[in-house]
Amino acid sequence: MHQDVTTRYMGLPLRSPILVGACPLTLKPEMAREVAIAGAGAAVMPSLMEEQVSRWFARRKGDASNRCPNPEAELCKSENVYNGGVESCLKTIPRLKRQCGIPIIASLNGGHDGDWLSIAGDLEAAGVDAIELIINANTYDPDCTAEQAERPLLDAVRRVTQMVSIPVAVKLLPFYSTLPNLAARLREAGAKGIVLFGREPIWEISDGDLVPALHWHLSSPGLLQTTLSGLIRVRGSDPSLSIAASGGIATTLDVVHAVVGGADVTMVTSELYRSGPDVIAHLVEGLSGYLHRNGFNSYCDLIASRQTQATDQDRQAKMETMLAPPETEEAGEAVDGNSPHGDRWGHLTTPTP
Ligand SMILES: Cc1cc2nc3c(=O)[nH]c(=O)nc-3n(C[C@H](O)[C@H](O)[C@H](O)COP(=O)(O)O)c2cc1C
């Protein structure tokens, strides 16, 4: 018995809510075809970078001064290895569309609003169905306020949404303290959807030289907790915005939890690298089975049944949870609440007056 798992994301009709998140795998013809056959709803291309796009425009205008400067030459080469380069991406889009028959979403990653974003028009002309924007300003400047840091993102959304008629989503990092408000302003600026969350390379300190350095790994399923916290906060404040969950989706239950938390669709990246394209079929079939076992006729029924309550009780819920002993997987622990130091969490059975 196959339940109906079709849905919509930013108005785009999708055959399933399991999308392939932005990564270079979506440009590999064989992989793109396999994930489409496996039932993926859509695929997001690897990001084109602001620097790469700016140089490409400059070269097109014949501006030799904007060739890749020597110290950056290696980086320029890597960019093109990463995503094939701007020209190649534009040429690949019609072929991807023909081969896969599912919506293809382009991704733009930069730090500024500016002319480089006019590439969105070229991507639309090449046939992409939507655009995902990642605009992160430098946040190391102590003089830069949160509002100043967010301005380029909002300006970029206005610029791109005025330029193209396809839907535009914004992929956010999980560090915004006023996420529901930012989501509302992004919507006002023209965004049709948001992706919660993107990831960046992370800082790690090696035991050897104790020097912080950036590293890039596949994400772990534990990341879903961060994703859920964003979904619940934004969905609680906006029942109709298109939201994609990205981060830590690896199993059918992860998909269900993300949807119940507020996602309309889920994006899978690291698990695709770990398990290959079969993971898409597992998730689509797993979701259909879950719907069947739990009495839902369709995926839309599951979405309609979720409770997206406002989070004004958030603080109280947090306090109640923190004041209880932490939940633990360890079985059979003896807990002596009568000891003068309390139980092993330091909780006293008899509160001190
Ligand atoms: C190898 C790799 C390449 C990625 N490339 C991009 C990219 O080009 N643009 C982007 O926005 N996100 C990129 N991501 C981030 C993913 O799209 C996704 O947001 C993130 O990994 C969290 O989802 P996951 O837990 O399913 O991996 C990449 C992730 C991986 C693992």
Side-chain angles (χ1 to χ4, degrees):
M1 180 78 187
H2 287 287
Q3 306 305 92
D4 176 8
V5 293
T6 57
T7 189
R8 282 182 179 269
Y9 173 53
M10 301 193 289
L12 299 171
L14 307 182
R15 61 169 76 145
S16 89
I18 313 295
L19 278 59
V20 179
C23 69
L25 285 183
T26 56
L27 282 185
K28 291 188 186 296
E30 195 52 31
M31 174 63 86
R33 221 161 42 87
E34 284 185 40
V35 295
I37 291 168
V44 188
M45 296 168 68
S47 300
L48 288 171
M49 308 292 170
E50 174 182 348
E51 300 75 5
Q52 186 180 27
V53 172
S54 300
R55 278 193 292 272
W56 183 72
F57 276 130
R59 273 198 304 277
R60 266 212 322 196
K61 275 199 247 150
D63 178 358
S65 69
N66 214 315
R67 282 191 196 293
C68 215
N70 255 347
E72 281 184 37
E74 277 309 308
L75 185 60
C76 297
K77 256 193 258 161
S78 314
E79 284 167 357
N80 288 351
V81 170
Y82 183 71
N83 57 26
V86 179
E87 195 80 45
S88 157
C89 273
L90 289 171
K91 283 192 185 139
T92 304
I93 291 163
R95 185 172 48 78
L96 267 184
K97 295 261 322 166
R98 260 195 326 274
Q99 277 183 341
C100 304
I102 56 174
I104 299 295
I105 302 174
S107 164
L108 294 175
N109 181 327
H112 311 90
D113 169 43
D115 288 343
W116 73 278
L117 287 165
S118 63
I119 191 72
D122 300 77
L123 290 164
E124 180 180 35
V128 294
D129 298 275
I131 289 180
E132 198 172 278
L133 270 184
I134 302 134
I135 307 285
N136 289 311
N138 177 8
T139 49
Y140 292 78
D141 176 358
D143 294 326
C144 178
T145 64
E147 203 178 342
Q148 285 165 339
E150 288 165 10
R151 197 172 304 143
L153 171 59
L154 292 156
D155 289 345
V157 170
R158 271 183 219 105
R159 180 189 291 263
V160 174
T161 53
Q162 279 164 18
M163 192 186 313
V164 298
S165 53
I166 51 178
V168 175
V170 176
K171 191 175 192 180
L172 295 172
L173 290 174
F175 308 121
Y176 293 94
S177 56
T178 53
L179 192 58
N181 173 265
L182 180 59
R185 284 183 295 142
L186 287 169
R187 193 169 191 179
E188 220 174 83
K192 288 278 185 289
I194 61 171
V195 183
L196 303 174
F197 290 109
R199 273 197 313 132
E200 286 202 314
I202 49 167
W203 286 106
E204 284 178 347
I205 299 179
S206 70
D207 288 342
D209 55 13
L210 297 181
V211 175
L214 285 169
H215 290 268
W216 182 235
H217 307 283
L218 295 182
S219 71
S220 62
L223 188 62
L224 185 65
Q225 290 166 352
T226 306
T227 307
L228 277 178
S229 79
L231 291 170
I232 289 166
R233 284 163 69 201
V234 177
R235 182 56 80 207
S237 66
D238 189 334
S240 63
L241 178 67
S242 269
I243 307 179
S246 168
I249 306 277
T251 68
T252 300
L253 271 188
D254 295 339
V255 171
V256 171
H257 291 172
V259 172
V260 170
D264 297 305
V265 295
T266 55
M267 293 181 168
V268 183
T269 309
S270 293
E271 197 54 31
L272 185 62
Y273 277 88
R274 285 196 192 95
S275 310
D278 287 353
V279 69
I280 302 295
H282 284 145
L283 293 178
V284 174
E285 283 159 23
L287 177 62
S288 169
Y290 177 90
L291 295 173
H292 181 59
R293 285 193 305 281
N294 290 278
F296 295 103
N297 287 325
S298 69
Y299 177 70
C300 291
D301 285 353
L302 173 64
I303 292 213
S305 77
R306 71 184 166 202
Q307 295 181 357
T308 51
Q309 70 225 26
T311 49
D312 53 349
Q313 301 293 321
D314 204 25
R315 176 81 193 152
Q316 193 186 331
K318 235 184 242 174
M319 289 294 288
E320 279 168 11
T321 315
M322 278 163 61
L323 296 178
E327 291 169 32
T328 173
E329 310 277 297
E330 302 159 39
E333 288 278 336
V335 173
D336 179 8
N338 291 320
S339 114
H341 307 296
D343 63 19
R344 71 185 180 113
W345 310 116
H347 293 180
L348 301 168
T349 307
T350 321
T352 40

